[in-house]
Amino acid sequence: PRSVVSLMVPSRLSLVLRHMICACLLVLGRVANVMVPILYKRVIDTLALGSTVKGARHAAKLAGLQSTALHLVVIYLGWKMLQATTDVMRQVIWCPVMQDVKERTNMRLLDHLLSQSVRFHISSKTGELMNIIDRGATSVERLMDLIPFRLFPAFVDVLAAGLVVTSMEN
């Protein structure tokens, strides 16, 4: 387990920076997931309020509501675009980190394989060994994607939704 964790730690400073950028994008994506429905509700509420204002006396109020609705729509679209693009940006930035992890995993497995005795190499099946090596490298890669970018965000989304719903009720 300790050797697997050491593979997950970046080997270069540029990869550490990519880790930090991906963490920031992850947080930004979670904030966007909360903001988009809230802003959508505000846009709908503002437009509904504007449809109830009638008459020449309330023209200034109607213009103010339209201006507010327009601003809310622009802000909503900005958050919606951010929500749609954070995961894609994270994947692009994360790709070199995954390549580094896969390379270091394969190198460590290959070093271990080459350190084995001649008898081991004569008696073992090459195809079987290659499948085992590939499964090992793939499992580390999946762990690096699953825990920080699938499980943790799902947990945070459920927690954030619960907080938003309870705060809206109060």
Side-chain angles (χ1 to χ4, degrees):
R2 187 173 48 160
S3 62
V4 172
V5 172
S6 70
L7 287 172
M8 294 181 183
V9 175
S11 60
R12 297 187 310 266
L13 179 63
S14 64
L15 298 176
V16 172
L17 291 174
R18 286 178 180 273
H19 262 263
M20 289 182 202
I21 292 169
C22 287
C24 290
L25 285 172
L26 191 63
V27 169
L28 196 59
R30 302 300 72 147
V31 171
N33 284 346
V34 171
M35 292 301 296
V36 165
I38 291 171
L39 286 169
Y40 187 73
K41 180 192 179 304
R42 287 188 180 165
V43 167
I44 298 300
D45 290 347
T46 305
L47 291 173
L49 187 62
S51 67
T52 61
V53 175
K54 293 182 179 147
R57 293 188 348 223
H58 302 290
K61 186 176 182 180
L62 182 61
L65 284 173
Q66 288 173 340
S67 174
T68 303
L70 181 62
H71 286 101
L72 284 173
V73 166
V74 169
I75 293 169
Y76 167 78
L77 289 176
W79 277 104
K80 190 70 176 168
M81 286 175 49
L82 193 64
Q83 182 187 32
T85 59
T86 52
D87 195 44
V88 175
M89 289 187 299
R90 183 202 49 84
Q91 288 174 353
V92 169
I93 293 170
W94 189 249
C95 190
V97 175
M98 292 307 299
Q99 289 172 347
D100 179 66
V101 168
K102 193 166 190 171
E103 177 186 344
R104 288 188 296 132
T105 304
N106 285 335
M107 290 299 292
R108 187 173 288 180
L109 289 169
L110 193 57
D111 285 344
H112 176 71
L113 185 63
L114 291 175
S115 69
Q116 300 299 313
S117 67
V118 173
R119 182 192 298 162
F120 172 81
H121 289 289
I122 291 172
S123 65
S124 63
K125 297 174 184 154
T126 308
E128 192 176 306
L129 282 174
M130 294 308 289
N131 283 338
I132 292 169
I133 289 172
D134 188 48
R135 275 187 266 156
T138 303
S139 64
V140 172
E141 190 176 334
R142 285 185 182 159
L143 274 175
M144 289 284 292
D145 187 56
L146 182 69
I147 294 169
F149 300 121
R150 302 287 179 246
L151 294 178
F152 179 70
F155 176 73
V156 169
D157 284 344
V158 168
L159 187 65
L163 289 172
V164 167
V165 167
T166 55
S167 70
M168 292 278 200
E169 287 179 359
N170 295 337

